[in-house]
Amino acid sequence: MECKESNRKTMKKLPNTIINFHKIYDKEWMESVFLFLSNIYNVVSLYDIESYYYHNKQLHNCCHITFDDGDISFYTIVFPLLKKMKLPVSIYVSPKIAKTGENFWFQEIRNYNQEVLRSIIYNKYPNLKQKNQKIPLSAIFKSLQLEQIWEIINEYRSFMKIDAEKRMNMSVDELKEVYNSGLVAIGAHTQNHPILANETEMAAQKEIESSILELNSILGIQVRSFAYPNGIPQIDFGKREMNLLKANNIRLAFSTENKSFKIKDNPLSIPRNGLSKGNKSFLFFKLLMGSKWEKIKKLCYGKQEADYRKEIRDIIIKNNI
């Protein structure tokens, strides 16, 4: 695939990449990012990525755009822009969430009182309490099994006397509409967004298999792509999960490892660069840094969520939590 002549010099600085988004808050920002990416990359489809890994398709200075979770903002903000700009993307969703209207656990706790939530966690798991630091709540939740997470959420709801949050994700009809546009490929993202590596093999297998089979049924196709919840290799998933995907005929699976994609990658662990904010200069710098970005963040801000999670996992294993 040839580069656009006007951007050839700029694009040579940027290797092939997968860009990942989640919830989108601002239409103007999203449109500006799409324009920015279109100007410095050749935006390609999921089919092109599959052909690259399995059929020797040559890709140069290209990006593929993905969205995880199926947040309603994809339908209300992103989808109209895709139709306007004729951009191909892929999204990774839970068929259960689309059918029931329930929310993922991390969406439910988004607006919870952090101190109350932390108190419930430490009362339930006192060994997680640290004397001289406050571990980020996100790191604690991502170190627990799904059943434990929902026990905490239910205790919080009972204590605060509140109900579940309103629906935050796309419905089945909306998923079908975006798929039928021809611009949006859809892959699985488990049923309940657990950190798969934290779960038993049986639980992980059920989350993966049922999400693929239900999505097959909804769309009337054989789903061939998947995105790991949270997606950090060796922390959120490993060989066990990759083997489960292979057994379910998944050909492409995406991580959140922050680097460019290359032909030597395992196609069941394809890296992606996450974007959520920033102007063009910031976005360009982040994309240019690639795998160095995590080192820059650590140098500037110190310990990151993944570092805390390793510590928490040690406490969980030691205390059989």
Side-chain angles (χ1 to χ4, degrees):
M1 182 174 289
E2 296 299 323
C3 301
K4 299 173 184 176
E5 188 65 35
S6 62
N7 296 305
R8 187 179 297 274
K9 290 183 180 180
T10 299
M11 297 170 83
K12 281 184 177 180
K13 298 178 182 178
L14 296 171
N16 293 332
T17 190
I18 311 289
I19 308 291
N20 189 44
F21 300 93
H22 289 85
K23 179 179 176 66
I24 302 301
Y25 295 90
D26 187 288
K27 178 181 178 182
E28 286 70 30
W29 180 82
M30 187 77 264
E31 185 167 16
S32 71
V33 173
F34 279 161
L35 287 170
F36 168 70
L37 294 175
S38 298
N39 283 332
I40 65 170
Y41 288 112
N42 292 301
V43 180
V44 298
S45 69
L46 186 66
Y47 176 80
D48 291 315
I49 301 299
E50 184 174 350
S51 296
Y52 173 79
Y53 282 108
Y54 288 98
H55 304 296
N56 299 313
K57 183 180 181 70
Q58 297 298 303
L59 295 178
H60 302 290
N61 308 119
C62 293
C63 81
H64 175 60
I65 299 169
T66 70
F67 289 80
D68 283 0
D69 303 334
D71 189 275
I72 189 61
S73 61
F74 181 86
Y75 185 76
T76 58
I77 295 176
V78 179
F79 187 45
L81 292 174
L82 298 179
K83 291 188 288 186
K84 174 184 175 181
M85 303 175 73
K86 306 299 181 186
L87 289 176
V89 303
S90 61
I91 63 174
Y92 298 88
V93 302
S94 157
K96 174 195 170 186
I97 296 295
K99 284 181 174 180
T100 65
E102 297 171 2
N103 296 316
F104 293 117
W105 62 266
F106 56 88
Q107 294 171 324
E108 282 293 312
I109 67 173
R110 188 173 287 158
N111 297 315
Y112 282 10
N113 182 297
Q114 299 292 289
E115 292 307 313
V116 173
L117 202 53
R118 190 179 294 276
S119 176
I120 290 171
I121 291 171
Y122 288 161
N123 284 336
K124 195 173 185 65
Y125 304 113
N127 289 314
L128 293 179
K129 188 171 185 179
Q130 303 295 301
K131 290 183 179 179
N132 298 316
Q133 64 179 359
K134 283 193 173 182
I135 297 174
L137 282 177
S138 60
I140 296 176
F141 276 105
K142 291 177 184 179
S143 301
L144 298 173
Q145 292 187 337
L146 192 64
E147 183 178 354
Q148 294 171 313
I149 291 172
W150 280 105
E151 285 177 357
I152 293 167
I153 291 174
N154 288 330
E155 284 190 32
Y156 181 94
R157 287 176 180 170
S158 177
F159 180 79
M160 300 294 284
K161 296 180 173 56
I162 61 171
D163 296 322
E165 297 288 329
K166 294 180 180 179
R167 182 182 197 129
M168 299 184 191
N169 301 292
M170 288 189 287
S171 67
V172 167
D173 287 343
E174 289 162 345
L175 285 182
K176 288 181 177 179
E177 181 182 346
V178 300
Y179 175 75
N180 290 333
S181 72
L183 294 169
V184 183
I186 300 181
H189 197 42
T190 72
Q191 293 282 38
N192 300 287
H193 209 285
I195 302 301
L196 289 166
N198 295 347
E199 304 293 327
T200 65
E201 183 168 1
M202 184 178 295
Q205 181 176 359
K206 183 178 180 181
E207 282 284 340
I208 289 170
E209 287 185 354
S210 61
S211 67
I212 294 167
L213 290 174
E214 277 197 56
L215 205 50
N216 288 348
S217 178
I218 288 172
L219 300 176
I221 61 170
Q222 172 63 60
V223 170
R224 298 192 296 187
S225 61
F226 184 93
Y228 299 100
N230 213 60
I232 303 174
Q234 308 310 317
I235 297 179
D236 300 316
F237 73 94
K239 288 184 178 180
R240 182 187 73 176
E241 287 72 31
M242 293 165 70
N243 288 335
L244 288 170
L245 292 178
K246 187 175 182 180
N248 282 275
N249 300 311
I250 294 296
R251 291 169 66 80
L252 301 173
F254 296 97
S255 74
T256 56
E257 186 176 12
N258 197 9
K259 65 179 184 179
S260 60
F261 71 88
K262 298 178 180 179
I263 195 62
K264 66 180 181 180
D265 299 328
N266 186 323
L268 295 180
S269 184
I270 302 171
R272 294 185 292 177
N273 289 293
L275 297 181
S276 61
K277 60 183 178 180
N279 59 26
K280 292 179 183 179
S281 297
F282 172 82
L283 298 177
F284 185 83
F285 178 73
K286 184 176 182 182
L287 292 170
L288 191 63
M289 289 299 97
S291 60
K292 297 177 183 177
W293 179 251
E294 296 303 322
K295 293 179 180 178
I296 293 172
K297 281 203 305 182
K298 199 165 185 177
L299 184 63
C300 293
Y301 302 109
K303 292 172 70 170
Q304 299 295 299
E305 182 183 86
D307 300 312
Y308 286 110
R309 288 178 62 196
K310 290 175 183 176
E311 294 178 7
I312 297 168
R313 288 304 300 165
D314 289 341
I315 293 172
I316 286 173
I317 291 170
K318 182 179 179 180
N319 294 280
N320 196 29
I321 293 176

